[in-house]
Amino acid sequence: MIGSANLSAWFPEWGSTHAPDVDVPFFDIYVVTVTILILTVGLAVVFTRTFTRKEGDPEQMPAVGTNKILLGLGVVGAIALAGFAFQTGLSGFVGQRVAPYGAFEVSVTAREGVWDFTYPDGHVADTLRVAVGQPVHLTMTSQDISQNMSIPDLRVNQTIMPGHTTEAWFETIRPGTFPIRTGAFSAATYDSMTSVVVSLPAEEFAAWQAAVGDIFAGRTMAEVGELLYNQQGCKACHSLDGSNLVGPSLKNVYGFEFLTTTGETVLADDAYIKESILTPNASVIAEYQPVMTPYAGILGDQEIQAITEFLKTISDRGHTGGQEDK
Amino acid sequence: MHNVSQSAAEQVRRSFLGGPDGVSEWFQSLDHKRISLMFLAWTAGAFLLAMILAIMPLVKAVGGRGLSAQLLFETLTYQRLLHVVAWLVPAIPGIIGFFLLPLQIGASNMAFPTLSRCSLRFYVVGLVLMLGSLATYPVGSGWTLDTHLSLLDPGAFGVLMVGLFFMGLSWFLTGVNFIVTVHHKRREGMGFFDMPLTAWGLYLYSYLLVLSGLIFGIIALYMAASWVTTEGLFGWKSDPMAWRSYFWFAIRPVTYFAMIPAVGIVSDVISGVSRKASTGYRTMVGAMIALTGIAVASYGVSLVGQGLSPAGTLIFSALSLLAAVPVAIIAITWLSTLYRSSISCSSANVFCNAFILHGGIASLLGLFLASPAVGAFLGASMFASAQLDYIIWGGVSSALMAGLHYWWPKMMGRKYSDDVARIGAVLYVVGLNLALVPRLIMGTKGVPQDLAGLVDSSLRLAEVSSFGWLCVYFGLAVIAGNLLVTIWGDEAAEENPWGATTLEWTVPSPPPEDNFS
């Protein structure tokens, strides 16, 4: 049909079972609308060329009423077209909103430029790994701005808003890495993909899951701490090189003393670090805002201990526990 | 002989353009025709500024380095706001409406001349405040001004919102003025169904201007207050859907259905150049009334893919699809008017056909976005924003240019070069489609409105699009230049070059101050 040679120019390659739900109605409507457009504009141009003013034409051409049959056909055609457009996109739309029973549950928490994907086993990561052929059900919310969870390759587009919980599901049909776009006018998410969906063959996914299932296996405590620092979104606000971002840098924290916003002096020891992770806004270092997300319920004791060990490795007083180096 | 030249001189003196009047005479003027020309100058200025701002994303699109994200967001925000708020909505009522409405219904002026002047002044105040915020501390949270992102944004947001309030007020006053004018200032014996279709389009659109202007003005003030206090209806703890719903309820009818007065204009131009009364006049009026109702009822379709619930998506998609019926009627009516008519081929025709093309594409794109699965995927993408571009740069601009080329001899009393106008028109039409079709394709590939992620997959498309924009800019410059030079030219136009039958052609060109006397 018209323009069929160019159909491949539209849309990315199919990445999920949702792709035909979007692409098929799109091309149905595409073929019909391109035909209508060519017909209408073609007739307008042809009429303009044909009925040009000639010698002997009267000053005003006789006015005529609309041809009732033509008008009736137009109305019926328009209703049919509207009904067709609605119907062709309906089943796919409904199907995209009802996740299959037993889908792999992932809860998604977004902040500006940061994604937390929490798996059923409690593992948290900043990229979403899924197995090919397994339905994945996302339950999503945002902690600050409204943005989209748009994965073009998978034909997923759902809004994530603070105070709302929205859902989406998909089932990938091939391995690959699919970018997630947010569509928000936010410098934090610009010029880089904020995250990706990594679709793995089932056996690779199982192997990965087993490996991350126990993040402590084969790692020292400090290594686990560094991994958590990267996975849990800490790096968005806390640097490791001494430069201060939204929050203070984590270099030379452990074992040092700090002034809080209330004017007290605190020693950054194991207890204070634990408190700062679980209830960070209870005691805030001077000149910073109480804006950090509490990690109570997200990180366990062992994980906090791992982070503390990691902080020791990047502090000059890591081994002295707050005593001046002798 | 003596008498004739004296009366000719008198006519020139009495023309609304006046003789030696200075800036203050124009500024204080209550004459609807002078207000129209001042609206032409201001809206064209706003359009030009938006065009200049639009170059920035193009630089980015062809792989420009060193353009910071923040700068790009600010540019995109103001470009779209200026286009929508300061051009798309006020251009047709401001330029064609203020000039033609009294002339077409046989009135000497608008019903409320002082309100006409207020409309213009509030527009200018709004524009100045918007530009003030751009010049001092630009806002970069996107033209839909999403609550939470805007609250995070440190720009001169309050100033911008007060500017938008004045814009809303200007729309509101224009709408009230037009409605009362149509009701009370029609010439003795002219019924509603004797009015030309342009007057009908403006009259119906006025109801949308009143509704949207009022709501938009109020929520703009609320938003400004929320931005100061971070509390309240649109505050930090508010539901983000609250702002989105109010915003689109106010903005959707008045932007996407700025096509209603455009349809009126194109009907009159087609009828005028083809020397044939509009076929099915009452059917046409009925279709336009239906569109006005659908405009308000289907506002929520702009929220599809942007947080609207599944049930809402289905309901609003179905409601917006109702527009297919009036649009089909309009197309059939125009084609019937053209059939077996006597067309004096001119640039006005070319612009009418351009409107049928661009307005047609914009309407047909609505079918994609109202097909639930497709709309939910593309609703927030560049595909949807290209549809709005087809309305701003395509439909409304084509209709306005058709109207300007049709009525320019009447407005200014001058002839323009038809050949040059055609060259400009071809450049504009070809360029615009080269510019926007790639954007539609990019939208399906997942490029969001902010152009992020462009570089990897769609660079070639972006280049084609940028070349198209170049043609559009060049074409518009040719068209505008061609009209502008006639102001200093001296080739006087005939009183009724098209042999049209509507009332505005019975007065001298340019019309005298009191129109009919």
Side-chain angles (χ1 to χ4, degrees):
Chain A
M1 278 296 296
I2 299 149
S4 59
N6 301 323
L7 292 192
S8 60
W10 303 77
F11 289 104
E13 192 190 337
W14 288 7
S16 82
T17 53
H18 290 330
D21 293 344
V22 175
D23 296 17
V24 171
F26 182 92
F27 289 122
D28 283 352
I29 303 173
Y30 180 84
V31 170
V32 178
T33 51
V34 169
T35 314
I36 293 175
L37 191 70
I38 290 175
L39 203 67
T40 313
V41 177
L43 276 179
V45 172
V46 168
F47 286 176
T48 317
R49 296 249 161 232
T50 314
F51 303 109
T52 46
R53 191 156 178 79
K54 294 174 220 39
E55 286 289 323
D57 273 2
E59 184 61 21
Q60 279 290 313
M61 299 301 279
V64 287
T66 329
N67 186 326
K68 294 280 187 303
I69 297 170
L70 197 61
L71 206 60
L73 282 177
V75 170
V76 171
I79 293 171
L81 179 64
F84 167 71
F86 189 76
Q87 173 273 329
T88 184
L90 183 61
S91 60
F93 176 80
V94 173
Q96 284 197 9
R97 261 129 208 98
V98 184
Y101 183 73
F104 188 69
E105 296 287 337
V106 177
S107 88
V108 182
T109 306
R111 271 166 285 156
E112 207 180 343
V114 181
W115 297 86
D116 285 340
F117 298 103
T118 311
Y119 291 85
D121 62 3
H123 171 70
V124 181
D126 59 0
T127 55
L128 177 55
R129 280 168 201 270
V130 298
V132 174
Q134 177 171 42
V136 179
H137 180 228
L138 307 176
T139 315
M140 307 182 283
T141 192
S142 167
Q143 292 187 342
D144 43 30
I145 61 171
S146 309
Q147 48 185 320
N148 280 342
M149 168 76 158
S150 178
I151 317 165
D153 301 275
L154 308 182
R155 308 295 188 275
V156 169
N157 175 45
Q158 180 60 277
T159 314
I160 307 181
M161 291 176 286
H164 284 258
T165 304
T166 48
E167 295 173 57
W169 78 275
F170 61 83
E171 180 188 328
T172 55
I173 54 173
R174 63 184 165 92
T177 304
F178 310 119
I180 299 176
R181 312 238 182 253
T182 68
F185 273 31
S186 152
T189 67
Y190 191 73
D191 263 352
S192 59
M193 290 169 281
T194 52
S195 186
V196 289
V197 175
V198 182
S199 173
L200 300 167
E203 54 279 13
E204 270 183 55
F205 180 75
W208 171 80
Q209 228 188 348
V212 298
D214 182 8
I215 55 171
F216 293 96
R219 290 192 180 92
T220 66
M221 285 296 265
E223 282 169 0
V224 173
E226 185 169 9
L227 187 69
L228 289 169
Y229 166 81
N230 285 315
Q231 281 181 352
Q232 293 287 346
C234 316
K235 63 179 174 183
C237 303
H238 300 285
S239 78
L240 297 181
D241 59 3
S243 60
N244 291 324
L245 307 171
V246 175
S249 173
L250 298 180
K251 184 178 171 65
N252 287 341
V253 164
Y254 187 86
F256 285 79
E257 285 184 340
F258 293 93
L259 201 61
T260 68
T261 46
T262 53
E264 294 161 44
T265 306
V266 292
L267 172 67
D269 55 8
D270 292 38
Y272 180 73
I273 285 168
K274 182 172 178 180
E275 179 198 290
S276 293
I277 294 173
L278 295 180
T279 53
N281 303 333
S283 161
V284 179
I285 302 300
E287 291 172 30
Y288 288 96
Q289 300 295 317
V291 292
M292 183 171 148
T293 313
Y295 278 79
I298 298 175
L299 295 176
D301 280 350
Q302 206 187 358
E303 287 158 320
I304 291 172
Q305 191 54 46
I307 292 172
T308 312
E309 291 301 324
F310 170 58
L311 294 188
K312 283 182 185 173
T313 65
I314 55 169
S315 170
D316 296 341
R317 297 182 187 171
H319 302 289
T320 58
Q323 306 302 311
E324 291 288 344
D325 282 327
K326 298 280 169 357
Chain B
M1 274 320 277
H2 179 73
N3 273 349
V4 169
S5 68
Q6 195 178 26
S7 81
E10 200 175 86
Q11 224 172 53
V12 171
R13 196 172 65 247
R14 281 172 56 244
S15 145
F16 82 99
L17 290 169
D21 282 359
V23 172
S24 92
E25 279 85 356
W26 276 79
F27 188 67
Q28 298 291 345
S29 178
L30 294 172
D31 186 354
H32 66 100
K33 299 179 288 297
R34 287 191 169 192
I35 285 168
S36 149
L37 288 193
M38 286 188 278
F39 255 118
L40 174 61
W42 281 104
T43 50
F47 188 81
L48 187 66
L49 190 68
M51 277 172 71
I52 293 167
L53 287 175
I55 293 173
M56 199 86 80
L58 296 186
V59 172
K60 176 75 194 174
V62 288
R65 300 269 173 249
L67 185 64
S68 82
Q70 191 57 32
L71 185 62
L72 182 73
F73 293 146
E74 287 160 4
T75 318
L76 286 167
T77 304
Y78 280 87
Q79 180 235 322
R80 197 52 130 197
L81 268 179
L82 282 171
H83 256 147
V84 170
V85 171
W87 165 263
L88 174 62
V89 180
I92 287 185
I95 303 167
I96 302 287
F98 272 111
F99 199 94
L100 272 185
L101 190 65
L103 284 170
Q104 283 201 325
I105 62 174
S108 58
N109 202 341
M110 302 296 292
F112 303 120
T114 328
L115 276 196
S116 317
R117 195 171 64 184
C118 273
S119 285
L120 177 67
R121 289 187 179 176
F122 286 150
Y123 175 88
V124 174
V125 171
L127 190 62
V128 166
L129 285 172
M130 285 173 73
L131 297 185
S133 75
L134 173 64
T136 52
Y137 205 154
V139 173
S141 54
W143 81 278
T144 55
L145 303 161
D146 230 27
T147 336
H148 291 73
L149 199 53
S150 300
L151 291 178
L152 278 179
D153 197 289
F157 192 75
V159 179
L160 174 66
M161 293 317 279
V162 176
L164 295 181
F165 163 75
F166 277 102
M167 285 294 185
L169 201 57
S170 167
W171 305 347
F172 173 75
L173 294 180
T174 306
V176 169
N177 208 349
F178 283 13
I179 291 171
V180 179
T181 303
V182 166
H183 277 266
H184 290 283
K185 301 282 277 186
R186 269 173 296 126
R187 164 172 289 194
E188 195 74 33
M190 178 184 263
F192 265 84
F193 284 101
D194 300 320
M195 289 199 303
L197 287 166
T198 305
W200 259 109
L202 290 164
Y203 171 65
L204 293 171
Y205 188 56
S206 296
Y207 286 98
L208 299 181
L209 284 176
V210 167
L211 179 78
S212 292
L214 195 62
I215 299 172
F216 189 58
I218 292 171
I219 60 167
L221 280 189
Y222 259 106
M223 185 66 153
S226 291
W227 183 74
V228 174
T229 62
T230 73
E231 300 285 335
L233 188 56
F234 307 125
W236 188 250
K237 292 195 188 102
S238 73
D239 185 337
M241 287 309 285
W243 169 258
R244 286 188 181 185
S245 307
Y246 278 109
F247 178 84
W248 281 114
F249 183 64
I251 285 294
R252 166 96 189 176
V254 89
T255 49
Y256 287 73
F257 291 83
M259 300 292 254
I260 294 170
V263 163
I265 291 171
V266 172
S267 302
D268 272 0
V269 176
I270 286 180
S271 156
V273 294
S274 59
R275 304 216 178 206
K276 189 176 166 194
S278 278
T279 302
Y281 169 86
R282 281 180 187 243
T283 320
M284 196 68 164
V285 172
M288 285 158 80
I289 293 174
L291 275 183
T292 314
I294 294 166
V296 180
S298 69
Y299 78 94
V301 84
S302 284
L303 291 162
V304 170
Q306 311 219 45
L308 189 65
S309 68
T313 302
L314 296 180
I315 292 169
F316 282 118
S317 298
L319 283 171
S320 79
L321 282 168
L322 291 178
V325 175
V327 169
I329 291 175
I330 290 167
I332 289 172
T333 310
W334 283 343
L335 290 177
S336 312
T337 307
L338 286 171
Y339 185 67
R340 290 201 178 158
S341 63
S342 172
I343 301 168
S344 4
C345 274
S346 69
S347 48
N349 277 105
V350 181
F351 285 116
C352 282
N353 287 341
F355 179 84
I356 296 176
L357 174 67
H358 298 144
I361 293 177
S363 310
L364 292 170
L365 289 176
L367 287 177
F368 291 90
L369 293 168
S371 180
V374 184
F377 176 62
L378 293 176
S381 71
M382 190 173 260
F383 187 90
S385 94
Q387 187 206 18
L388 187 54
D389 277 323
Y390 259 113
I391 292 169
I392 299 173
W393 295 87
V396 165
S397 298
S398 303
L400 195 74
M401 285 190 280
L404 276 180
H405 284 81
Y406 182 66
W407 281 298
W408 193 258
K410 180 55 62 191
M411 293 172 81
M412 306 303 289
R414 294 276 197 276
K415 266 188 192 166
Y416 55 86
S417 161
D418 202 59
D419 292 334
V420 176
R422 279 172 194 241
I423 293 170
V426 169
L427 273 173
Y428 156 73
V429 173
V430 173
L432 189 64
N433 290 290
L434 270 183
L436 290 182
V437 172
R439 290 201 167 186
L440 293 172
I441 299 175
M442 284 193 269
T444 67
K445 289 196 178 296
V447 176
Q449 300 175 32
D450 65 357
L451 303 167
L454 193 63
V455 186
D456 42 347
S457 64
S458 359
L459 193 57
R460 176 57 57 82
L461 288 168
E463 281 170 359
V464 173
S465 172
S466 299
F467 174 73
W469 285 120
L470 195 69
C471 294
V472 173
Y473 279 35
F474 197 61
L476 290 177
V478 169
I479 294 165
N482 183 40
L483 288 181
L484 277 180
V485 292
T486 64
I487 296 177
W488 297 280
D490 51 3
E491 202 180 350
E494 302 157 53
E495 261 173 39
N496 190 357
W498 312 101
T501 54
T502 40
L503 273 181
E504 73 270 21
W505 298 104
T506 61
V507 298
S509 307
E513 271 176 61
D514 52 357
N515 300 349
F516 309 91
S517 53

